[in-house]
Structure formats: structure tokens, C-alpha cells
Amino acid sequence: QVQLVESGGGLVQAGGSLRLSCAASISSSSIAVMGWYRQAPGKQRELVATITSGGSKNYADSVKGRFTISRDNAKNTVYLQMNSLKPEDTAVYYCNVLLWGDYNYWGQGTQVTVSS
């Protein structure tokens, strides 16, 4: 069983920044893709950003130019730097890892609230 420990959520004013972290209890060599998803109240969970083992990144159109995903393979950790936050970014953010072999794991979620 893979454990994902998320941190970094909180309350911030519009225009502010937050950095989310997610540490995995498994070697990065076993992880194909690491990513972040979010779910706002009354809405479906949606992709925010992903990064592959080779470093390829993918972003939702709504966060392009504002959010940056990165990973530290030595620490088995993925980060999400969120700048220029907007009230519509308010959601629970979930870390996700996809292992080689298509095993998929989720973190417990961390709340991000952006006030106007």
C-alpha cells in the first residue's frame, strides 16, 4: 500500500501564492506519473497538473501560466507551486500517483481556500 502525505494547503487572499507538497512512501523509480487534482463543492474532481517520470508536464488550461508542477525524485515528492490564486481555485486538492503497472493511489486531500 502506497501512502501519500500532502501538506501546504490553507487560506490565502486572491493574488497570493501557496505551495503544495506530496511525499510518497515508495521509490520514485516505481512511479510513472505524479499529479494534482482538485474538487470544488458540487463539482467533479478535475485534473490540475501532472508530471511524468521523464519530466513531461501537463496542465489544465485554467491554471496554465499560474501553477507549476515539479518533482524531487530523491525525496519521492511532487510539488505544486500556485501563484496568482483566484477564488475559483478554491477546492480540495488531491495528490495522485500512477505506478508502473497501472496501480493508482490518492492522497487524503488538502483544502485550498482563496478569498476575494
Side-chain angles (χ1 to χ4, degrees), residues 2-48:
V2 175
Q3 303 296 322
L4 302 175
V5 179
E6 301 161 347
S7 61
L11 173 64
V12 65
Q13 288 188 332
S17 298
L18 285 173
R19 189 192 194 208
L20 305 182
S21 300
C22 173
S25 64
I26 191 170
S27 170
S28 291
S29 62
S30 299
I31 301 173
V33 184
M34 304 184 83
W36 291 94
Y37 292 71
R38 67 187 181 187
Q39 187 167 17
K43 294 187 177 181
Q44 290 188 330
R45 190 172 298 188
E46 63 177 4
L47 179 146
V48 176

Side-chain angles (χ1 to χ4, degrees), residues 28-81:
S28 291
S29 62
S30 299
I31 301 173
V33 184
M34 304 184 83
W36 291 94
Y37 292 71
R38 67 187 181 187
Q39 187 167 17
K43 294 187 177 181
Q44 290 188 330
R45 190 172 298 188
E46 63 177 4
L47 179 146
V48 176
T50 59
I51 183 168
T52 69
S53 60
S56 296
K57 302 175 184 180
N58 181 49
Y59 296 95
D61 288 342
S62 59
V63 307
K64 283 180 181 177
R66 300 188 298 122
F67 291 10
T68 302
I69 191 170
S70 61
R71 62 191 278 177
D72 185 335
N73 289 332
K75 296 182 179 180
N76 308 325
T77 299
V78 62
Y79 304 97
L80 185 68
Q81 178 66 44

